[in-house]
Amino acid sequence: MTSEYEMSVNDYIAIIKHRAVLLIVSAVVILGVCVMVAISLPPTYESSGTILVESQQISPDLVAANNNTFADERIEVIRQRVMTREHLEAIINKYNLFASQSRQLSVTEKIDEMRNAITVSLVSAAVKGRGEVTIAFRLGFEHREPEVANKVANELVTLFLDENIKQRTERASETTEFLTQEADKLRVELEALENRLADFKQAHSNALPEHQELRMNMLSRAETELKEVDRDYKAAREELRFNELEVSAASAGVAKPGAAGAAADKPQDLGSLKAEYARLLSLYTEAHPDVRAVKRKIAALESASGNAGSSVAPVSLDVAKAQARVGASQARINSLADQKREILSKIDAYEAQILETPQVERGLVTLMRDHDNARKKYEEIRTKEMGAKISESLEQENKAERFVLLESPLMPEKPVRPNRKKVVAMGFVLAPVGAGALVMLLEMLSQRVRGVEALGSVVGRRVLASIPYIHTKAELARRRKWQTLVVLGGVVIIAIFLVLVHFLYMPLDLIVVKTLGRFA
């Protein structure tokens, strides 16, 4: 056949008639194979339970939980913990799973088969303001025996619930323990800073900033006292020079006019001097110059009266009195000098402390800042620790977010695999397609000439006449036989189809009743 010839519809019809037996046989074989596969495939049952993700019972505004992870993330974490080798191997050994396999499986292969048989599907819902939120999940297990599937599913559900409680409790306990350790560390650090601050204040107690105003007042008071002492010191020096002049005059036997006048003006007897001393004490202190002068005169008169019986000349008594006054003045000058030196040392100390205060304040501010930061951290971590303890109590009392078994795994009544209806339906689709593909392949490999037009295309000449094929009696008998077989085969196929529909889809009597009901 040349490439110029194109097959017509008659040629295709002729091919179908010629290959009719092959088409029917191949279609029946393919359909039979699909039916056998649908019947021979072992059933797989699935038992599943539904677990609800229940929100926290107490309002989060009152008590906040520490486990704030998303439900799907927590479910996946629990799934990985449950599907460990240890757990799965224990379940396999407990229920003797995969013992009926055609070949002996290793422990790793059994665990892989077990993981493939476990299904976890999330149930989500649209929540306003939060989008898609996981509110529940279904946990199932597939097995060829429904009883085993149900038992293993219940075992897995129990593991999931227990692992959720264990995980949340452990996380809450670990959080509380961590915060407690951190709080203890901060407490030790805070105590160390408090000790450093106390030592610093004790070491610089005289230069603390809070006492700066007091030191300024004390410095001002010391300066005022220094001025008074300096004035008294100068007066005492003048008195000393005056007394030294009196000593010189008394030693020469010459009475000073001023002294004589003073003696004439003032009472020189002991009683009058004591009365004057009492009057001055009521007005001044003992450190006042007038009080001290009267006190010295009283002492001189008492000393002179004790020596009245002696034969010393009056001039010697005046010299002794003048010398006593000189000694008293000298003693007062020495005392005032000591007071002045003491006050000057105090002033120097106050000034040094005032100058040292800014440096002390800088170090104190640094320590106070570190102390305040450590105290704030300590209070913050203590607050978090208290919240963690409350959250731990929520977890222990099972009042936080939890998993609740909404529907227990039930005994499966129908297998989930294989879908025998789909397999048979696929057979009805594959049977004509496969038969047609087989015929097309055979025709593509065949080199025979089909019809008058094909012959003319091959020889390149016009065909004047064609003689049809004349069938013999034997061929006609064989054709009738094949036709009978085809009819019987069709009846068998229809019967098989009705049987499959009756057992796999719906009983025929129900189909008839429903069909009649539609036309009633």
Side-chain angles (χ1 to χ4, degrees):
M1 182 184 295
T2 62
S3 59
E4 297 178 357
Y5 175 72
E6 294 182 0
M7 295 178 63
S8 63
V9 177
N10 295 328
D11 294 332
Y12 287 111
I13 294 174
I15 293 173
I16 293 174
K17 290 180 178 180
H18 181 70
R19 303 286 187 178
V21 177
L22 181 60
L23 281 171
I24 294 172
V25 172
S26 58
V28 170
V29 171
I30 294 174
L31 181 59
V33 170
C34 291
V35 172
M36 292 300 296
V37 169
I39 295 174
S40 62
L41 285 176
T44 301
Y45 295 89
E46 181 183 18
S47 179
S48 62
T50 303
I51 299 176
L52 178 67
V53 182
E54 194 175 58
S55 59
Q56 182 174 316
Q57 296 181 358
I58 301 176
S59 174
D61 297 333
L62 300 177
V63 178
N66 290 325
N67 297 324
N68 296 323
T69 56
F70 292 105
D72 50 356
E73 178 184 351
R74 193 162 61 256
I75 291 170
E76 182 60 27
V77 172
I78 296 174
R79 177 175 174 271
Q80 295 298 327
R81 288 193 173 188
V82 170
M83 295 176 62
T84 57
R85 185 183 183 93
E86 179 183 359
H87 287 157
L88 297 184
E89 188 174 357
I91 296 175
I92 291 172
N93 295 331
K94 181 177 180 180
Y95 297 102
N96 197 19
L97 302 179
F98 311 110
S100 60
Q101 296 286 351
S102 58
R103 65 183 182 88
Q104 187 67 26
L105 298 177
S106 62
V107 177
T108 303
E109 291 175 338
K110 290 182 180 179
I111 291 174
D112 292 338
E113 290 287 338
M114 180 78 176
R115 287 173 178 166
N116 294 330
I118 298 174
T119 59
V120 179
S121 57
L122 304 180
V123 179
S124 302
V127 179
K128 186 177 180 181
R130 297 175 59 185
E132 291 288 333
V133 178
T134 300
I135 60 173
F137 64 97
R138 295 180 67 254
L139 177 63
F141 179 73
E142 297 178 355
H143 197 266
R144 294 180 181 179
E145 299 178 10
E147 296 83 1
V148 176
N150 180 250
K151 292 178 181 179
V152 175
N154 280 286
E155 188 85 14
L156 291 174
V157 166
T158 303
L159 283 176
F160 260 76
L161 296 176
D162 294 343
E163 188 63 33
N164 176 62
I165 297 175
K166 179 182 177 182
Q167 179 190 0
R168 294 184 67 90
T169 305
E170 286 181 354
R171 181 175 296 183
S173 300
E174 290 174 358
T175 302
T176 304
E177 183 180 357
F178 171 76
L179 292 176
T180 302
Q181 293 176 356
E182 291 298 316
D184 293 339
K185 292 179 182 178
L186 289 176
R187 179 177 56 79
V188 173
E189 181 180 353
L190 183 61
E191 291 177 354
L193 288 173
E194 290 175 349
N195 293 333
R196 287 177 56 190
L197 185 60
D199 294 341
F200 184 85
K201 285 185 176 182
Q202 185 176 3
H204 303 85
S205 58
N206 295 326
L208 295 177
E210 58 265 25
H211 300 155
Q212 182 74 346
E213 184 177 357
L214 176 62
R215 282 191 295 273
M216 295 295 293
N217 294 333
M218 293 177 68
L219 176 62
S220 177
R221 190 182 306 166
E223 290 176 347
T224 302
E225 187 178 355
L226 178 63
K227 290 179 182 179
E228 294 178 355
V229 171
D230 187 61
R231 184 178 63 248
D232 292 344
Y233 181 79
K234 290 179 180 179
R237 293 294 298 271
E238 291 294 331
E239 185 180 359
L240 176 63
R241 287 195 294 271
F242 178 77
N243 290 332
E244 288 177 347
L245 290 176
E246 284 188 346
V247 169
S248 299
S251 298
V254 179
K256 295 181 62 176
D265 295 335
K266 294 182 180 180
Q268 297 297 322
D269 59 295
L270 185 60
S272 299
L273 289 175
K274 287 183 177 180
E276 182 68 13
Y277 178 74
R279 186 183 67 82
L280 291 176
L281 277 178
S282 63
L283 298 176
Y284 309 108
T285 62
E286 291 185 357
H288 196 273
D290 294 342
V291 175
R292 291 183 177 182
V294 173
K295 187 176 182 181
R296 287 194 299 271
K297 289 180 181 181
I298 292 173
L301 287 177
E302 289 177 349
S303 176
S305 61
N307 298 325
S310 62
S311 60
V312 180
V315 176
S316 299
L317 180 60
D318 293 336
V319 172
K321 292 179 179 179
Q323 289 177 348
R325 288 194 294 272
V326 169
S329 298
Q330 187 65 45
R332 185 165 182 269
I333 289 173
N334 294 333
S335 175
L336 290 173
D338 293 337
Q339 292 181 15
K340 187 175 181 180
R341 285 193 297 270
E342 183 179 354
I343 294 173
L344 286 174
S345 64
K346 288 182 179 181
I347 291 175
D348 293 338
Y350 292 150
E351 290 177 347
Q353 293 170 5
I354 292 171
L355 293 176
E356 186 185 0
T357 299
Q359 187 67 26
V360 173
E361 184 177 9
R362 187 179 299 110
L364 185 62
V365 166
T366 302
L367 287 175
M368 289 294 294
R369 183 177 62 249
D370 295 341
H371 177 268
D372 291 341
N373 293 336
R375 181 178 54 80
K376 290 178 180 178
K377 290 181 180 178
Y378 178 73
E379 292 176 353
E380 181 180 358
I381 206 72
R382 280 299 185 189
T383 303
K384 291 182 178 180
E385 181 188 4
M386 183 62 65
K389 289 181 178 179
I390 295 175
S391 299
E392 185 178 1
S393 299
L394 283 178
E395 298 295 345
Q396 292 175 351
E397 297 177 6
N398 203 19
K399 292 185 178 180
E401 185 178 88
R402 57 181 180 175
F403 288 171
V404 179
L405 183 60
L406 189 63
E407 183 180 354
S408 301
L410 303 176
M411 184 71 69
E413 298 177 354
K414 295 182 180 180
V416 293
R417 284 196 312 271
N419 193 334
R420 305 184 193 278
K421 300 177 184 179
K422 290 184 178 180
V423 175
V424 175
M426 188 179 298
F428 279 101
V429 174
L430 291 178
V433 173
L438 179 61
V439 171
M440 288 178 62
L441 179 61
L442 294 176
E443 289 296 325
M444 290 174 62
L445 297 177
S446 177
Q447 300 296 327
R448 67 187 181 87
V449 179
R450 300 180 181 87
V452 177
E453 294 180 1
L455 179 60
S457 176
V458 171
V459 300
R461 296 289 186 275
R462 181 180 180 185
V463 179
L464 298 177
S466 63
I467 300 172
Y469 182 79
I470 299 173
H471 297 279
T472 63
K473 292 182 179 180
E475 290 176 345
L476 291 175
R478 190 167 53 251
R479 176 178 290 183
R480 285 192 297 269
K481 181 180 178 181
W482 278 109
Q483 289 176 352
T484 303
L485 292 176
V486 168
V487 172
L488 292 176
V491 172
V492 172
I493 290 173
I494 293 173
I496 293 174
F497 174 74
L498 293 176
V499 170
L500 293 176
V501 169
H502 179 79
F503 288 103
L504 298 180
Y505 179 67
M506 185 182 295
L508 294 178
D509 53 349
L510 293 178
I511 295 177
V512 172
V513 171
K514 288 186 177 182
T515 304
L516 294 177
R518 289 181 179 272
F519 294 100

